[in-house]
Amino acid sequence: MQTGFKAVSVGVLMMLSAGTALSQSAGSSLPWSDRFDTASPATVGLSDQALQSATSALRARVEANDIAGAVAAIMKDDKLVYAEAVGWRDIESRDEMPLDALFRTYSMTRPVTAVAILLLHDQGLLDVNDPVSQYLPAFADQPVLIDSANPDPGAVRARVGDITLAQLLTHTSGLGSRSSSLYRANNVHSYDQTLAQVVDNAAALPLFEDPGTQFRYGLHAEVLGRVIEVVTGQPVDVYLEEQLFQPLGMTDTVFYVDEERAPRLATVYRPDDAGQLRAIEMEDIPVTERRTLTSSGVGLVSSTADFLSFSHALLTNTRPDGEALFSEQTRRLVSENAIPDALLPIGSGGYWLGSGWSLGGFAVAMDPAAYNHPVSTGEYWWDGSAGTRFWIDPVNNMIAVIMAQVSPASGNGFREEFKSNIVDALNGPAGE
């Protein structure tokens, strides 16, 4: 069976400098050949010239101060065909961006947690249609705000229906965002609290609407992480390490960046009023310190290669050892829209108008015309609030990952431009 993974011991990464030309052309070699099968772009129908243009565009983004640096990679037809590091890991020290740089993934943590829930579903240890109160009784009697636009925790009514795990996975439970005024005022989410405390805080406040009546992107993955702990009897970080990260060879996906890894951690930047990038710390407690909260919603740090491994396992339903990740029935839950028609669209503008949401924790492209960059129907993807993003495209059997560290995450559209350039490579001549 062709899996795209190399059956070797995990943890050995090829480290190349940021200045090395890494897209395979003119005889240059690709990194991570110990982890993935590799090929030249032309052999899988991608234009090498267009991919070189994609790299040039990323370097131009560095020069324009849109981003400090980035690492990007592409797999096509189970082959790694492109991997580039551009710019700076840290501008002040003039430390070039290495291929094995580490990035705060923020919301890209959510699909990891969702996939872990589906593993438990596949093993029969829970069912996604179970009520969450079966595992977390604090959610049994949660009321609902009378007016979600003016959240007064004293103005509530009785809830209609129970929250299910599936509703947590699809952001239709009625829970709010960690950045909502109600949750901020009540200190629901902070890194000096345990995951159990954060989840209890959310359960102690009313829902914004009845379960199953509206899509509201929110605190759901934290609750799911706590469900994992209750079901398995393990801390969520231990479960993820044993059941996902180790089996998939994700050797640099962690909640805490230790001293050995710290020199590879990319600095987060934000443009000042003059457009110059300035280093910022997005959280009160940085990822290089031990944090009480193991945040299963926004807490992971990872690498581009690790998210390639994660994405490829989902696309092919195959682990590096050749075993299936899921049953075929559960596999479909990862990528198929699970939002009922009555709740669509899930947003009022942009890609939200053309997206559904899967039980695997992904936005699913249902109407590509709603996107401001090219996607395939059925493509599933997500990103993070510090400039990371990954796409899984079953139509073209292709994966793309790009990671930077910038806030706001848009970076003047560098991720969308990169995806557009990939599609140009797919549509361009294959044999320059």
Side-chain angles (χ1 to χ4, degrees):
M1 178 188 298
Q2 177 58 262
T3 67
F5 290 111
K6 285 295 183 71
V8 296
S9 60
V10 297
V12 181
L13 292 179
M14 182 181 293
M15 299 181 185
L16 299 177
S17 72
T20 304
L22 298 170
S23 54
Q24 183 163 330
S25 61
S28 63
S29 62
L30 281 157
W32 311 325
S33 59
D34 59 309
R35 295 180 66 165
F36 308 109
D37 291 326
T38 62
S40 65
T43 62
V44 295
L46 287 169
S47 164
D48 186 73
Q49 181 179 347
L51 291 180
Q52 291 179 28
S53 296
T55 304
S56 296
L58 285 176
R59 290 189 176 122
R61 292 291 188 160
V62 173
E63 294 172 3
N65 279 320
D66 292 328
I67 55 175
V71 181
I74 303 167
M75 289 189 76
K76 175 78 167 70
D77 296 341
D78 301 320
K79 302 290 194 303
L80 177 68
V81 296
Y82 174 96
E84 276 283 2
V86 302
W88 309 103
R89 184 197 68 82
D90 185 86
I91 294 174
E92 287 71 27
S93 66
R94 309 308 284 176
D95 187 6
E96 291 183 331
M97 182 70 78
L99 273 165
D100 62 352
L102 301 180
F103 301 87
R104 301 157 187 82
T105 68
Y106 285 100
S107 288
M108 279 167 52
T109 306
R110 300 175 197 263
V112 172
T113 299
V115 166
I117 287 285
L118 292 183
L119 285 175
L120 294 172
H121 171 85
D122 207 44
Q123 295 161 4
L125 297 176
L126 55 76
D127 189 292
V128 293
N129 295 309
D130 290 338
V132 67
S133 59
Q134 179 175 328
Y135 307 99
L136 304 175
F139 287 94
D141 299 314
Q142 201 173 16
V144 179
L145 291 167
I146 291 175
D147 183 1
S148 62
N150 296 290
D152 176 0
V156 297
R157 59 173 176 80
R159 186 182 71 200
V160 177
D162 290 326
I163 300 171
T164 67
L165 299 181
Q167 289 166 346
L168 292 172
L169 290 164
T170 56
H171 297 274
T172 57
S173 72
L175 287 170
S177 164
R178 70 187 178 112
S179 61
S180 67
S181 59
L182 177 63
Y183 285 9
R184 290 199 311 270
N186 289 276
N187 191 30
V188 167
H189 188 283
S190 62
Y191 283 98
D192 58 358
Q193 303 179 80
T194 66
L195 182 61
Q197 288 172 327
V198 167
V199 171
D200 284 346
N201 292 342
L205 292 170
L207 297 175
F208 284 75
E209 54 269 329
D210 288 314
T213 62
Q214 183 177 319
F215 180 93
R216 182 185 292 271
Y217 190 70
L219 198 72
H220 303 89
E222 307 287 28
V223 181
L224 291 166
R226 182 61 184 147
V227 169
I228 289 171
E229 294 188 332
V230 170
V231 170
T232 66
Q234 294 180 297
V236 66
D237 57 337
V238 174
Y239 179 81
L240 291 176
E241 175 66 23
E242 292 181 357
Q243 301 300 320
L244 267 180
F245 304 155
Q246 287 184 10
L248 300 187
M250 298 171 67
T251 56
D252 277 324
T253 302
V254 295
F255 289 95
Y256 160 66
V257 178
D258 57 23
E259 290 184 3
E260 182 179 355
R261 289 186 174 95
R264 294 188 281 129
L265 180 65
T267 302
V268 183
Y269 289 94
R270 179 174 292 165
D272 61 17
D273 292 341
Q276 296 299 308
L277 294 176
R278 305 295 181 190
I280 63 162
E281 186 60 62
M282 293 178 66
E283 302 288 350
D284 292 335
I285 304 174
V287 296
T288 52
E289 296 181 21
R290 293 284 186 184
R291 305 194 281 189
T292 303
L293 176 62
T294 304
S295 173
S296 51
V298 293
L300 281 176
V301 171
S302 191
S303 67
T304 301
D306 275 13
F307 260 83
L308 273 182
S309 293
F310 179 65
S311 302
H312 189 260
L314 297 181
L315 179 61
T316 64
N317 194 35
T318 308
R319 303 187 316 184
D321 62 8
E323 295 296 318
L325 184 62
F326 294 113
S327 67
E328 280 300 315
Q329 183 177 9
T330 301
R331 176 189 188 179
R332 292 193 294 272
L333 302 181
V334 173
S335 58
E336 293 180 356
N337 171 55
I339 301 291
D341 289 345
L343 302 189
L344 294 173
I346 60 175
S348 59
Y351 65 80
W352 293 106
L353 285 172
S355 299
W357 203 267
S358 79
L359 293 174
F362 291 96
V364 180
M366 300 173 65
D367 178 11
Y371 283 69
N372 67 352
H373 61 283
V375 296
S376 301
T377 301
E379 191 166 327
Y380 51 110
W381 66 282
W382 201 228
D383 57 20
S385 58
T388 57
R389 182 174 289 174
F390 68 124
W391 301 265
I392 303 173
D393 180 358
V395 173
N396 292 300
N397 197 25
M398 187 163 62
I399 299 160
V401 182
I402 184 167
M403 292 197 175
Q405 297 282 252
V406 64
S407 176
S410 62
N412 285 328
F414 76 98
R415 296 174 297 187
E416 292 82 2
E417 180 182 55
F418 179 70
K419 183 66 185 310
S420 297
N421 286 333
I422 294 172
V423 173
D424 287 345
L426 185 65
N427 295 330
E432 291 91 343

